[in-house]
Amino acid sequence: MAKKKRRHFIKLNNKIKELFHGAPFEEGITTLGDDTLTELALLLDLRLEDLERDSIIRALRRVWSDGDYAVRKTIVEYLRGIGRKRRSPRGKTADRVETILATVADETLDRDEEEALLAAFADTPLQKITEAKVKAKLRYLRLQRRLARLEEALEAEISPEGELRFSHPFVFRFAGEEFVKHLLVRAQLGDFDLRNEPDDARVLEHLEALKREAIARKEREIEDFLESLANNRYLGVEEIVAHLKRLPPEGDLIHNPIDYLIVERIVKSIVPKAETMVAGEQFFIEKSKTLELYGHPLPYRLRLTYERNFIYASIWENRPLPLKEDFAALAESTREHFFVALQTLRERMEELARDLDVEESVFEAFILRFLEPQLLASGSLKIKEKTKRRILYHFGEYIRPMREKKMREELLAKTIRDFKRLFPLARRLHRTITFHVGPTNSGKTYAAMERLKRAETGYYLAPLRLLALEGYEDLRDSGIAASLITGEEEILDEESTHISSTIEMLNPEVEVDVCVIDEIQMIADRDRGWAWANALIGAPAREVILTGSENALEAIREVCDYLGEELRIVRFERKNPLELLP
């Protein structure tokens, strides 16, 4: 049904272009007279502030753009009726013929030239037919006819790029075999301009000379090529002859395609365990390797990519294929890049586990656990970003209890007096704190969430599980990979960049760009206020956004003064009036 509807719309659009000489409705409507525009507006019963020309055109464009089929059909039928009233097709055709022939009255045209000229301007609007265009088209038609005569006499093709192309039989003699191949020959016309030489006989004489020179060059090229094949290291005599007989007419000698099985044999003679594949215009040559990592063998594959013409030319020209050298260089660079990436990953893990007693075998086990399946699946010696994130995430979860235990021990051992120092990561970030102050339904939380969505990483901290779930769904609906963490439920996405959680579940060890702390006035709550205080003081984000009511402002100012961090206040007004029910 939808396809049928689209076909109807396409037909209407095509009819409009016919009526407006190829122009779309939006442009063609501007060519109509004021009376026609007014009649059309009245016919469609358009509601207009005035009957000014510009107002009517805007209204008609809007109606056409809205896409109602019935309205469009009414417009087309009306305009077609207007067109029939103006003039008949017979008069239009007569005007066109008279105009075209009048512009070339000083020329002598034969019947074929006259018909070709009229056909060339059959679809051109009459007002766009000028003397310059008609005479230029006549010169072009005559040049094409002349070229056709010359090509027929030469048995060759003259391309627009100034190249003479023709087929010619050449004799191939190799190893006692003799056969004939018709090959495409090319010759450049150079500075020779057919248009400046009116004498066809002289033109033919020149082009025949070019043909003879091109044939002689091709014969010398074939002779030299056949001599070079005498001691080819890759191909036997029978294989050479068979391939030469299959040489395409337009083919290049040194790029003559070679059977895949022969290429595969040649590759294996150089690199015995290599595998050869062909796709499109390229050869892929692969070799299996094994890397010993932490005493564990990891398989991977090296792949070399060559243009098919490079392989063919190397074989025909008897040049050594650099497969061993290229594999050695590729293996070295691949291992080098892999170990640099591995070292970077290891340093990041060590940074996460700083000051913790984590054994060497633990680092190795986490890396192997996720890296080995990736290498087996891809066959490439690379550490994907997805794999890095998995390793760091699970390693972080592994050391979290260890870090929490260490922090508790340090608290007990040192009797820390300054509470803000319990969150060293937050202190290092030099945070900015923004307080969205306003009543309910003022848009303060919405603005904070929009800023959170634009950040690359972030937290949303809610007072209730249901609010955390709403934040999680809002982030997911906006196309953001997010995780949900509450005391009752966890929905973890290893690809997540944002976390929505209840306030108590904040992880002060995971750095993000933006953290939104909702309902900050709860900091005064007797039972749960500690969680908002911890979040305000310890949220590990470069930008912290608080949302809450006016009565929390003084407490927030005091906390920010204690932290020595800048506080920016953004006030919001209620969107709708607050009224009591009767």
Side-chain angles (χ1 to χ4, degrees):
M1 189 68 184
K3 290 183 179 178
K4 184 176 180 181
K5 184 177 180 181
R6 285 198 296 271
R7 286 199 299 270
H8 290 327
F9 275 90
I10 291 171
K11 288 182 179 179
L12 290 180
N13 289 335
N14 290 337
K15 290 178 181 177
I16 278 292
K17 288 183 178 179
E18 291 176 6
L19 292 169
F20 289 137
H21 306 297
F25 179 86
E26 290 74 9
E27 296 177 14
I29 197 70
T30 61
T31 65
L32 299 178
D34 293 345
D35 292 340
T36 302
L37 290 172
T38 304
E39 288 178 7
L40 188 55
L42 294 174
L43 175 65
L44 298 175
D45 195 22
L46 299 182
R47 296 182 180 179
L48 302 171
E49 297 179 0
D50 54 61
L51 291 177
E52 293 294 327
R53 178 181 177 86
D54 289 343
S55 300
I56 298 175
I57 290 175
R58 282 196 300 271
L60 290 172
R61 284 174 172 169
R62 185 167 55 251
V63 167
W64 183 269
S65 177
D66 287 342
D68 184 273
Y69 177 79
V71 173
R72 286 193 178 188
K73 185 177 180 183
T74 301
I75 294 173
V76 171
E77 291 176 349
Y78 172 81
L79 294 178
R80 293 181 71 180
I82 292 294
R84 285 193 292 271
K85 291 177 184 178
R86 286 180 177 172
R87 60 182 174 181
S88 67
R90 182 181 298 276
K92 181 177 178 181
T93 302
D95 290 346
R96 182 184 301 277
V97 172
E98 182 179 346
T99 299
I100 294 172
L101 295 181
T103 58
V104 288
D106 55 341
E107 298 278 353
T108 301
L109 277 66
D110 59 31
R111 185 175 183 83
D112 290 339
E113 288 177 336
E114 183 178 311
E115 290 180 356
L117 197 59
L118 294 175
F121 290 96
D123 297 325
T124 305
L126 190 59
Q127 63 270 24
K128 292 187 178 182
I129 299 176
T130 64
E131 181 178 355
K133 288 182 179 179
V134 174
K135 289 190 173 182
K137 177 61 71 173
L138 179 60
R139 288 194 298 272
Y140 173 77
L141 292 172
R142 286 175 172 176
L143 177 61
Q144 292 300 108
R145 291 179 67 184
R146 187 186 184 201
L147 287 176
R149 292 195 305 271
L150 293 172
E151 288 177 341
E152 183 178 1
L154 285 166
E155 295 184 351
E157 175 189 347
I158 302 172
S159 74
E161 296 81 18
E163 187 178 60
L164 189 66
R165 302 172 183 169
F166 59 94
S167 179
H168 184 79
F170 294 91
V171 178
F172 283 68
R173 297 181 181 89
F174 182 78
E177 290 268 0
E178 182 175 317
F179 53 92
V180 176
K181 290 289 297 183
H182 282 77
L183 301 180
L184 180 67
V185 184
R186 294 179 171 87
Q188 294 295 329
L189 299 184
D191 298 331
F192 184 75
D193 190 351
L194 299 176
R195 290 169 295 185
N196 294 330
E197 179 52 73
D199 187 351
D200 283 0
R202 295 185 61 182
V203 171
L204 284 171
E205 182 182 353
H206 180 79
L207 296 180
E208 288 286 3
L210 287 179
K211 279 186 68 175
R212 290 192 296 271
E213 292 174 5
I215 291 170
R217 282 197 304 271
K218 192 70 173 180
E219 287 174 340
R220 289 194 299 270
E221 179 187 345
I222 293 172
E223 183 179 348
D224 294 340
F225 176 70
L226 294 176
E227 288 180 4
S228 71
L229 297 177
N231 298 305
N232 191 282
R233 76 185 75 185
Y234 301 114
L235 301 173
V237 172
E238 293 182 359
E239 291 172 336
I240 292 174
V241 172
H243 282 82
L244 290 178
K245 288 181 178 180
R246 296 203 302 265
L247 176 66
E250 70 283 359
D252 190 2
L253 293 172
I254 65 170
H255 295 141
N256 185 15
I258 299 171
D259 291 345
Y260 166 77
L261 292 177
I262 294 178
V263 174
E264 184 180 45
R265 182 198 72 201
I266 293 170
V267 169
K268 284 189 176 294
S269 69
I270 301 171
V271 183
K273 296 184 179 181
E275 296 180 10
T276 305
M277 295 165 285
V278 63
E281 295 302 315
Q282 292 179 323
F283 277 109
F284 301 108
I285 303 175
E286 290 189 352
K287 182 181 179 182
S288 297
K289 299 280 287 183
T290 301
L291 173 72
E292 194 78 17
L293 183 64
Y294 307 141
H296 192 81
L298 295 178
Y300 66 98
R301 299 178 71 81
L302 293 175
R303 170 182 282 192
L304 295 174
T305 303
Y306 297 102
E307 294 296 323
R308 292 174 66 172
N309 279 344
F310 170 80
I311 297 292
Y312 297 152
S314 298
I315 294 173
W316 285 116
E317 294 181 340
N318 204 25
R319 289 188 277 111
L321 284 167
L323 302 184
K324 287 184 178 180
E325 298 83 352
D326 290 350
F327 266 123
L330 179 61
E332 182 178 353
S333 63
T334 300
R335 289 171 64 91
E336 181 179 346
H337 290 143
F338 173 79
F339 283 112
V340 168
L342 183 65
Q343 180 64 26
T344 303
L345 174 62
R346 181 64 180 267
E347 289 173 357
R348 181 72 181 114
M349 295 173 70
E350 290 175 351
E351 182 181 348
L352 291 176
R354 184 182 300 167
D355 302 328
L356 298 178
D357 187 15
V358 179
E359 296 181 0
E360 186 76 13
S361 59
V362 174
F363 292 101
E364 297 175 358
F366 270 97
I367 292 173
L368 284 173
R369 173 185 169 190
F370 295 98
L371 185 56
E372 184 176 15
Q374 181 224 291
L375 293 183
L376 289 173
S378 67
S380 176
L381 190 62
K382 293 180 181 179
I383 306 178
K384 295 183 179 179
E385 287 299 320
K386 182 177 181 180
T387 304
K388 290 180 185 178
R389 290 195 296 268
R390 283 181 175 176
I391 293 172
L392 292 174
Y393 173 79
H394 289 282
F395 182 73
E397 291 299 302
Y398 172 79
I399 64 173
R400 180 194 290 185
M402 301 170 63
R403 183 168 295 282
E404 291 174 351
K405 179 181 178 182
K406 184 176 179 62
M407 289 179 61
R408 288 194 298 269
E409 291 173 350
E410 289 177 350
L411 281 173
L412 293 173
K414 298 180 180 180
T415 60
I416 297 176
R417 297 178 181 179
D418 195 347
F419 185 73
K420 65 184 178 183
R421 296 187 184 277
L422 293 176
F423 307 96
L425 178 56
R427 302 287 75 76
R428 290 198 303 269
L429 293 177
H430 305 292
R431 308 178 307 167
T432 60
I433 299 177
T434 302
F435 188 10
H436 289 189
V437 182
T440 302
N441 196 28
S442 60
K444 57 185 184 298
T445 304
Y446 173 82
M449 291 299 291
E450 289 301 302
R451 174 65 188 96
L452 179 63
K453 293 174 185 177
R454 294 194 301 272
E456 291 187 3
T457 56
Y459 271 122
Y460 169 64
L461 304 178
L464 300 172
R465 186 187 70 83
L466 288 178
L467 287 178
L469 178 61
E470 286 183 9
Y472 165 75
E473 292 175 344
D474 187 15
L475 292 170
R476 297 281 291 186
D477 291 343
S478 300
I480 297 172
S483 293
L484 172 68
I485 302 176
T486 70
E488 302 175 15
E489 180 181 17
E490 287 188 359
I491 303 176
L492 300 179
D493 182 357
E494 294 180 0
E495 305 293 326
S496 65
T497 57
H498 290 63
I499 295 176
S500 178
S501 72
T502 46
I503 191 80
E504 290 87 350
M505 302 307 292
L506 168 66
N507 184 351
E509 298 299 324
V510 178
E511 177 184 339
V512 295
D513 294 317
V514 174
C515 176
V516 174
I517 304 175
D518 206 1
E519 305 295 345
I520 190 62
Q521 69 273 6
M522 289 288 289
I523 198 171
D525 185 83
R526 176 177 178 178
D527 297 316
R528 298 180 64 204
W530 63 269
W532 274 266
N534 280 356
L536 175 57
I537 296 171
R542 295 180 180 85
E543 182 179 355
V544 179
I545 302 177
L546 316 174
T547 69
S549 56
E550 183 78 20
N551 61 347
L553 181 56
E554 192 58 34
I556 301 306
R557 278 202 178 102
E558 291 185 13
V559 173
C560 290
D561 289 342
Y562 161 71
L563 297 174
E565 294 178 334
E566 177 186 356
L567 174 64
R568 188 168 70 96
I569 299 171
V570 181
R571 297 186 180 277
F572 290 75
E573 299 295 332
R574 188 185 300 279
K575 302 298 181 183
N576 297 314
L578 181 63
E579 298 177 355
L580 292 175
L581 293 174

